[in-house]
Amino acid sequence: MHSRVFGTRFALSAAAAVVAVVLVLPSAAEAATAINFAAKVDSPSGGSFPSWGPGPSAIGVVGGDFNGDGIADVVSADFQGDGPILMTGKGNGTFNKGTRVGSAGIGYGAIGAGDLNGDGKTDVVAQSWLSIAVFLNNGDGTFKLGKKYTTVEGAQQEIIVADADGDGKADLLSLVPVGVQTWLGNGDGTFKQGGAALIAGTPAAFTTGKFNADNKLDIAVNNDVLQQVEVFLGNGDGGFTRKGSSTSGLITEDVRAGDFDGDGIDDVVTADSFSFSTTVLISNGQGGFKKTNRIVFSGLGPTSIAVADFDRDGKLDAAMSAVVNSRMVIFAGNGDGTIAKSGDFEVTTLPQTPVLLDFDRDGKTDVVVAGSANAVSFLKNLS
């Protein structure tokens, strides 16, 4: 539910929730594989994130080892604070109180992570309404503010670190009002503006993936006006060419790529906010889609989604934030392009973007999610 129209959309979602409660229970599919998590354990953030309803970003929390101790940490947006918050992991699923990554100003709701300058340390990048800020990692959990770049956000804020031109240097991809902008990396933590993948509408979210067999980075963009996901194949130089599209659910908040049918080509899964559905679009291997698998009434207010293999059966699963009732909805993949709801688990209020990593070092992929209560919830994987 994109932040700039939060009040209207949330009111509509709440009304729709009444209908959804009646319809969801009898029709919910049960997954063949049992995926289970322990009750949530919360850690205080030390910030005030996300602090503005169910938004404003498709990816507002990222995970990684930011202080070099071999334990997974998280960096979260602090939308009304002066820059992102780092919460270092203790290795048991709980986190130390957050510290400021750097002072960049308010309004930074989107977070990305990657090695931006080739020194082997995981850096942080953030997008706000009008700029992108780079934070270079000193290797000990502290950062120095790099350059800032002027831009304008799309329907939401989103920024992803990826190698868009295949030169081995980290690039940036960010949402702009008419598509996705490429920022080509110089290899030293600085960037220059590249081309843009343009859509006839307003982009709400995008994902990187492999949508054909040429091994160039591709992207899929959700068009908030046409209510469809559009695939752009990478040209290999940081630019993209539009190929195909397919209808998603009503007001899709998030899209993620993953191979749900085991053919070596990524498909797309979406969190459809206003239709309370989750949709898997099956790729045809040429930049388009050949089939739509939708779970209706999959959760109350789907906001964000992420993919992983929770039960280690070789089939891709998914975790989705349901913002209306503050639950994390888990889907088990069947390996044939379909997913089925496996269960849902209480998390912190207004859950945002889930991070899927092994946070307690037991070899299983767990879930961590931030919410509006200035805390992150940890769900231990018991599968």
Side-chain angles (χ1 to χ4, degrees), residues 346-371:
E346 180 186 1
V347 290
T348 186
T349 57
L350 296 180
Q352 305 295 300
T353 57
V355 179
L356 312 184
L357 288 173
D358 181 6
F359 287 98
D360 59 359
R361 299 182 291 178
D362 66 353
K364 302 176 184 179
T365 300
D366 309 303
V367 178
V368 163
V369 65

Side-chain angles (χ1 to χ4, degrees), residues 28-48:
E30 291 299 326
T33 304
I35 298 176
N36 193 29
F37 291 86
K40 72 181 178 79
V41 177
D42 289 343
S43 296
S45 70
S48 56

Side-chain angles (χ1 to χ4, degrees), residues 97-118:
K97 187 176 181 179
T99 58
R100 190 75 61 188
V101 168
S103 296
I106 65 170
Y108 286 89
I111 304 293
D115 183 1
L116 304 181
N117 57 0

Side-chain angles (χ1 to χ4, degrees), residues 145-369:
L145 179 64
K147 293 189 66 175
K148 296 175 73 173
Y149 302 88
T150 300
T151 188
V152 180
E153 69 174 51
Q156 296 191 98
Q157 301 167 6
E158 185 175 3
I159 190 160
I160 292 177
V161 178
D163 184 2
D165 59 0
D167 65 353
K169 302 173 184 177
D171 307 309
L172 306 177
L173 299 168
S174 67
L175 273 185
V176 292
V178 290
V180 175
Q181 176 70 55
T182 301
W183 303 83
L184 297 172
N186 297 313
D188 59 357
T190 65
F191 300 86
K192 56 182 176 290
Q193 187 170 324
L198 304 179
I199 66 172
T202 304
F206 75 99
T207 185
T208 58
K210 176 185 177 182
F211 298 110
N212 66 355
D214 67 1
N215 293 318
K216 299 173 184 176
L217 185 77
D218 308 312
I219 60 174
V221 186
N222 185 71
N223 188 323
D224 222 8
V225 174
L226 300 181
Q227 300 298 307
Q228 65 183 20
V229 175
E230 304 183 22
V231 171
F232 290 77
L233 296 182
N235 301 328
D237 59 359
F240 300 89
T241 300
R242 187 185 184 280
K243 294 299 292 186
S245 64
S246 184
T247 302
S248 57
L250 182 61
I251 310 296
T252 289
E253 299 282 348
D254 197 8
V255 296
R256 297 293 176 99
D259 183 5
F260 285 92
D261 60 359
D263 65 353
I265 301 294
D266 281 335
D267 311 299
V268 170
V269 63
T270 70
D272 311 321
S273 178
F274 270 36
S275 55
F276 290 85
S277 62
T278 303
T279 304
V280 180
L281 302 175
I282 304 301
S283 295
N284 63 10
Q286 301 173 2
F289 299 105
K290 62 184 180 182
K291 190 176 182 181
T292 298
N293 298 318
R294 180 170 290 122
I295 300 179
V296 297
F297 306 118
S298 58
L300 301 184
T303 300
S304 303
I305 198 162
V307 299
D309 182 1
F310 289 119
D311 52 4
R312 296 177 291 182
D313 64 353
K315 302 170 185 177
L316 200 58
D317 312 308
M320 182 187 73
S321 297
V323 72
V324 172
N325 61 344
S326 300
R327 311 287 288 187
M328 186 62 57
V329 182
I330 305 298
F331 302 95
N334 297 315
D336 59 357
T338 64
I339 59 175
K341 185 175 177 180
S342 176
D344 60 82
F345 302 86
E346 180 186 1
V347 290
T348 186
T349 57
L350 296 180
Q352 305 295 300
T353 57
V355 179
L356 312 184
L357 288 173
D358 181 6
F359 287 98
D360 59 359
R361 299 182 291 178
D362 66 353
K364 302 176 184 179
T365 300
D366 309 303
V367 178
V368 163
V369 65

